[in-house]
């Protein structure tokens, strides 16, 4: 009885849509409904694979994801290790409070801040560059900049919060290890390297696997907000394309097919990475 | 200098840099929002507000879209969070009990949803099929149960409500329902606080479901209003051909005021979060830690 309301809602909004996935294989029209729409097999998938958007969006999604992962994954670990070895308890608290804060800024505000700061006319960044005699850059229109802006603003926003989980893992390290190491004459840096780092390795591996599994499901929200006509060739990713095809052009079957392709790749990646991690380190999700 | 002292110094310097890099943009938005529009546009505001005034804020509250959006967001956040709690707590409680028969089935039922989903369009069609388009329900019902939050709550219940407690209560003639409401919930105020915050901030900050499901501008939550002003740059600028120098200057002032208003708007939209954040930071972190024990 306790679980019923949750299960009903989850069933309706998570399982029924799975059933609706079949419109990827039908030419869906709202009038005929799911069952009445004619079966077209893989037509929409083939259309996507042959469309020029296929390579662009796939490439953009991959590059953005991998760049985010490479830049965004190690930094929270380093931050947690440093915070953990930092002896100033009070100051540490202040740093933690401040670095966690950006995590609670909404995506819209984040995008708004970026656009304000990077504005060619009044943005503080260009103001700063002009001090060094660098001419004003219209960052948001600059294709080469877009990925850096996306990824590093993400690092700015999430590093602190992502470090919490590693910091928690470090809190679980028994002080006896450190005491013993001190007796043996280990320096602080050696203790960080040989006691603390191995302690968070399992947590890090699990998170890495999970992150790789979602490599193509990179957030729609921020990319969509930072898009404009000038940077679209690098900023159009699969999820934003799915949205535009489905709800702006109302081509629902095509959009669903693209989304399904995306999920399939994700699932494949997850299994592959998990298998690799299992072989290499014995850590696995299941 | 020993190697430990070098190590300490390096860490101190790096962490201080991190602190500055994270804090300065936030600080900059705050001081800009209180400054003179001309000083902000001219890039003179760097360390403290220049020409302190509240015109940006006055402009924000004059904007009826922002006010409506703020109220809408408050309503969506409150109703959404209440529904979240009403669904999440009982589920988590049931799953935490070892004498609950369907435990395995229900757990798998939820775990599956973490890995597969129907995607944007099929979900949209279901919401449409339920007649929820353009209503508050579309925003709060589909995500009523966050699996991650539910797991956090379940872990908490497991650790804090020992079986002996239930047996003792039963011996005294307490029903299972009464136990949940009179004993389990009052003992769980800290997990309830965590859930309220996670869900509440999620609702407050979300814009995507509103973008997807709402078409009536009067129903837009604050984040969508912010999007049109901050991102799409749709703040009303009194257009018109400026011919005289006087009119040109007037337009320029107007433009500067709009830029200033953006900073104030960022602050206003973050007020609810800024109020709760310092009070409950500890709870937030605790939530992550509970979640990480058995995620």
């Amino acid at each position: 009885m306790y679980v019923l309301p949750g299960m009903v809602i989850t069933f309706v909004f998570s399982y029924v849509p799975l059933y609706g996935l079949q419109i990827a294989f039908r030419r869906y029209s709202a009038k005929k409904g799911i069952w009445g729409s004619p079966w077209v097999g893989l037509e929409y998938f083939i259309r996507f694979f042959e469309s020029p958007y296929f390579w662009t969006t796939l490439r953009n999604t991959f590059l953005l994801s991998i760049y985010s992962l490479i830049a965004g994954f190690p930094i929270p670990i380093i931050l947690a290790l440093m915070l953990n070895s930092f002896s100033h308890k009070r100051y540490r608290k202040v740093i933690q409070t401040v670095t966690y804060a950006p995590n609670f800024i909404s995506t819209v505000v984040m995008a708004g801040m970026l656009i304000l700061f990077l504005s060619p006319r009044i943005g503080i960044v260009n103001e700063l560059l002009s001090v060094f005699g660098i001419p004003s850059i219209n960052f948001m229109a600059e294709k080469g900049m877009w990925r850096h802006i996306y990824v590093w603003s993400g690092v700015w926003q999430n590093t602190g919060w992502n470090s919490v989980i590693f910091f928690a893992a470090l809190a679980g390290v028994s002080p006896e290890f450190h005491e013993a190491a001190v007796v043996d004459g280990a320096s602080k840096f050696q203790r960080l390297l040989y006691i603390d780092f191995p302690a968070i390795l399992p947590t890090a591996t699990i998170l890495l696997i999970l992150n790789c599994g979602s490599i193509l499901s990179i957030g729609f929200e921020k990319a969509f907000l930072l898009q404009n006509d000038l940077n679209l060739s690098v900023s159009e990713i699969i999820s934003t394309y799915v949205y535009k095809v489905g709800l702006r052009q109302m081509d629902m079957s095509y959009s669903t097919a693209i989304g399904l392709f995306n999920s399939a790749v994700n699932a494949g990646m997850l299994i592959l990475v998990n298998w690799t991690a299992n072989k290499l380190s014995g850590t696995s999700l299941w | 200098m020993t190697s430990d002292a070098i190590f300490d110094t390096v860490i101190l310097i790096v962490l201080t840099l991190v602190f500055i890099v994270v804090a300065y943009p936030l600080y900059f938005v705050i001081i800009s929002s209180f400054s003179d529009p001309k000083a902000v546009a001219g890039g003179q505001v760097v360390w403290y507000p220049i020409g302190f005034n509240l015109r940006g804020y006055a402009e924000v509250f004059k904007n009826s879209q922002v006010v409506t959006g703020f109220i809408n967001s408050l309503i969506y956040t409150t109703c959404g969070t209440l529904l979240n709690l009403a669904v999440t707590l009982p589920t988590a409680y049931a799953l935490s009990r070892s004498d609950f028969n369907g435990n395995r089935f229900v757990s798998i039922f939820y775990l599956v949803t973490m890995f597969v989903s129907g995607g944007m369009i099929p979900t949209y069609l279901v919401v449409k099929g339920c007649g929820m388009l353009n209503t508050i329900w579309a925003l709060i019902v589909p995500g009523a149960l966050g699996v991650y939050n539910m797991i956090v709550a379940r872990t908490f219940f497991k650790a804090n409500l020992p079986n002996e407690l239930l047996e003792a209560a039963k011996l005294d003639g307490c029903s299972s329902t009464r136990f949940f409401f009179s004993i389990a919930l009052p003992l769980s105020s800290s997990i309830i606080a965590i859930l309220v915050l996670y869900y509440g901030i999620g609702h407050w900050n979300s814009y995507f479901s509103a973008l997807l499901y709402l078409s009536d501008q009067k129903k837009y939550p604050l984040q969508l209003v912010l999007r049109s002003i901050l991102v799409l740059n749709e703040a009303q600028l009194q257009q018109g051909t400026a011919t005289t120098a006087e009119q040109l200057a007037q337009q320029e002032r107007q433009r500067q005021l709009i830029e200033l208003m953006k900073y104030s708007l960022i602050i206003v939209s973050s007020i609810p979060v800024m109020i709760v954040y310092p009070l409950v930071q500890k709870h937030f972190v605790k939530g992550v830690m509970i979640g990480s024990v058995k995620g």
Side-chain angles (χ1 to χ4, degrees):
Chain A
M1 198 190 73
Y2 289 105
V3 294
L4 215 56
M7 288 184 75
V8 170
I9 291 176
T10 308
F11 181 77
V12 172
F13 294 100
S14 294
Y15 283 86
V16 177
L18 289 180
Y19 167 81
L21 271 178
Q22 54 173 296
I23 66 169
F25 304 97
R26 293 170 182 274
R27 188 171 295 119
Y28 178 75
S29 82
K31 263 187 234 144
K32 293 182 196 150
I34 293 176
W35 279 109
S37 304
W39 187 265
V40 294
L42 294 175
E43 186 192 301
Y44 287 107
F45 292 91
I46 293 166
R47 190 169 130 202
F48 181 52
F49 297 146
E50 285 173 351
S51 103
Y53 280 104
F54 175 65
W55 285 113
T56 328
T57 53
L58 192 65
R59 196 177 147 226
N60 287 342
T61 313
F62 252 113
L63 286 177
L64 198 59
S65 255
I66 289 172
Y67 188 8
S68 295
L69 194 63
I70 292 173
F73 192 74
I75 297 179
I77 300 180
I78 298 168
L79 180 66
L81 285 171
M82 287 203 297
L83 283 170
N84 190 56
S85 338
F86 192 46
S87 35
H88 233 284
K89 292 275 179 304
R90 257 252 184 84
Y91 188 36
R92 180 166 89 190
K93 253 218 140 90
V94 174
I95 294 175
Q96 282 176 314
T97 308
V98 169
T99 50
Y100 299 165
N103 182 61
F104 300 101
I105 294 175
S106 78
T107 325
V108 179
V109 167
M110 185 71 225
M113 277 168 67
L114 284 172
I115 292 169
L116 271 175
F117 290 168
L118 299 174
S119 146
R121 230 160 37 83
I122 53 151
I124 173 121
V125 176
N126 274 316
E127 218 60 72
L128 197 75
L129 291 180
S130 71
V131 173
F132 299 104
I134 301 169
S136 164
I137 304 170
N138 188 359
F139 287 96
M140 295 311 296
E142 204 67 48
K143 279 181 209 160
M145 289 287 179
W146 196 84
R147 283 194 192 105
H148 302 300
I149 294 170
Y150 181 98
V151 168
W152 291 101
S153 62
V155 169
W156 180 80
Q157 190 171 15
N158 301 322
T159 295
W161 189 247
N162 288 346
S163 75
V164 173
I165 194 160
F166 298 114
F167 195 71
L170 286 171
V173 176
S174 159
E176 284 161 21
F177 288 123
H178 282 282
E179 283 156 19
V182 170
V183 171
D184 289 344
S187 73
K188 278 188 172 178
F189 185 63
Q190 282 169 326
R191 281 188 278 143
L192 184 150
L193 217 53
Y194 300 114
I195 299 175
D196 292 338
F197 185 64
I200 55 175
L201 215 50
T203 315
T205 318
I206 293 277
L207 285 178
L208 190 63
I209 297 173
L210 283 173
N211 283 333
C212 290
S214 51
I215 207 141
L216 280 193
S217 58
I218 188 155
F220 164 93
E221 305 209 342
K222 200 164 110 189
F224 182 67
L225 291 174
L226 292 176
Q227 277 179 353
N228 59 42
D229 292 342
L230 296 167
N231 62 33
L232 209 56
S233 64
V234 290
S235 63
E236 187 78 293
I237 57 176
I238 296 180
S239 52
T240 55
Y241 188 57
V242 166
Y243 169 77
K244 286 175 194 166
V245 168
L247 291 165
R248 293 233 182 115
Q249 302 166 17
M250 295 312 267
D251 196 343
M252 296 198 164
S253 288
Y254 187 33
S255 169
T256 307
I258 302 170
L260 186 58
F261 163 76
N262 194 352
S263 316
V265 176
N266 278 338
M269 286 293 289
L270 186 68
I271 293 166
L272 186 73
V273 176
N274 190 44
W275 181 82
T276 319
N278 198 5
K279 279 275 175 297
L280 292 179
S281 68
T283 319
S284 164
L285 285 177
W286 48 78
Chain B
M1 214 148 115
T2 67
S3 73
D4 276 5
I6 298 172
F7 180 78
D8 281 340
T9 321
V10 170
I11 286 195
L12 180 71
I13 293 169
V14 175
L15 286 180
T16 305
L17 282 177
V18 169
F19 175 79
I20 293 169
V21 168
V22 176
Y24 184 70
L26 301 172
Y27 178 70
F28 178 76
V29 173
I30 297 173
I31 57 174
S32 296
S33 74
F34 288 111
S35 294
D36 187 68
K38 218 173 145 196
V40 176
Q44 292 152 11
V45 179
V46 180
W47 303 116
Y48 46 84
I50 288 176
F52 181 90
N53 72 85
L54 298 170
R55 283 174 64 196
Y57 289 93
E59 204 64 22
V60 168
F61 290 110
K62 263 196 278 176
N63 187 320
S64 64
Q65 263 187 314
V66 172
V67 176
T68 327
F70 199 94
I71 296 168
N72 285 342
S73 277
L74 279 181
I75 297 171
Y76 298 154
T77 304
T78 316
C79 298
T81 310
L82 286 177
L83 180 69
N84 288 139
L85 291 184
V87 176
T88 307
L89 286 172
T91 309
Y93 171 71
L95 287 178
S96 76
R97 289 264 304 267
S98 50
D99 55 340
F100 173 59
N101 284 328
N103 213 320
R104 210 180 143 67
F105 171 73
V106 178
S107 301
I108 291 173
F109 179 84
Y110 282 116
L111 280 179
V112 167
T113 65
M114 288 181 91
F115 294 101
V116 293
S117 86
M120 199 182 292
I121 301 299
T123 312
Y124 176 85
L125 290 177
V126 171
V127 172
K128 193 176 165 194
C130 294
M132 287 178 173
L133 276 193
N134 213 9
T135 66
I136 176 176
W137 305 111
L139 306 183
I140 65 174
V141 178
L145 189 138
V147 177
Y148 176 77
N149 288 337
M150 193 269 286
I151 292 174
V152 170
R154 186 194 66 181
T155 312
F156 179 92
F157 284 140
K158 252 190 186 154
N160 292 280
L161 298 175
N163 252 336
E164 290 78 17
L165 195 65
L166 176 70
E167 278 159 24
K170 272 194 173 152
L171 223 53
D172 290 338
C174 176
S175 72
S176 189
T177 319
R178 184 147 172 235
F179 178 78
F180 176 65
F181 284 105
S182 322
I183 300 176
L185 286 187
L187 281 175
S188 311
S189 54
S190 71
I191 191 68
I192 295 175
I194 291 171
L195 292 181
V196 166
L197 294 163
Y198 279 170
Y199 279 130
I201 290 188
H203 284 296
W204 184 261
N205 282 345
S206 86
Y207 82 92
F208 181 52
S209 32
L211 179 73
L212 218 51
Y213 301 129
L214 298 186
S215 46
D216 185 355
Q217 291 221 355
K218 285 205 189 69
K219 292 180 183 162
Y220 275 5
L222 185 61
Q223 298 298 330
L224 274 189
V225 178
L226 288 177
R227 171 173 172 257
S228 71
I229 296 176
L230 295 177
V231 179
L232 305 180
N233 210 1
E234 280 171 357
Q236 313 87 326
L237 187 69
Q238 277 124 5
Q239 286 298 337
T241 41
T243 41
T244 64
E246 175 62 27
Q247 281 169 318
L248 272 172
Q250 173 67 26
Q251 263 194 357
E252 182 57 26
R253 274 201 296 279
Q254 183 76 19
R255 200 171 292 137
Q256 289 170 349
L257 190 59
I258 287 174
E259 294 302 326
L260 172 69
M261 173 205 161
K262 290 180 181 173
Y263 289 103
S264 310
L265 188 56
I266 289 175
I267 302 293
V268 170
S269 73
S270 313
I271 283 174
V273 179
M274 284 202 294
I275 291 172
V276 291
Y277 173 64
L279 302 175
V280 292
Q281 200 225 110
K282 237 192 286 174
H283 286 299
F284 272 124
V285 175
K286 206 163 142 197
V288 174
M289 294 194 184
I290 295 175
S292 67
V293 175
K294 210 183 175 199

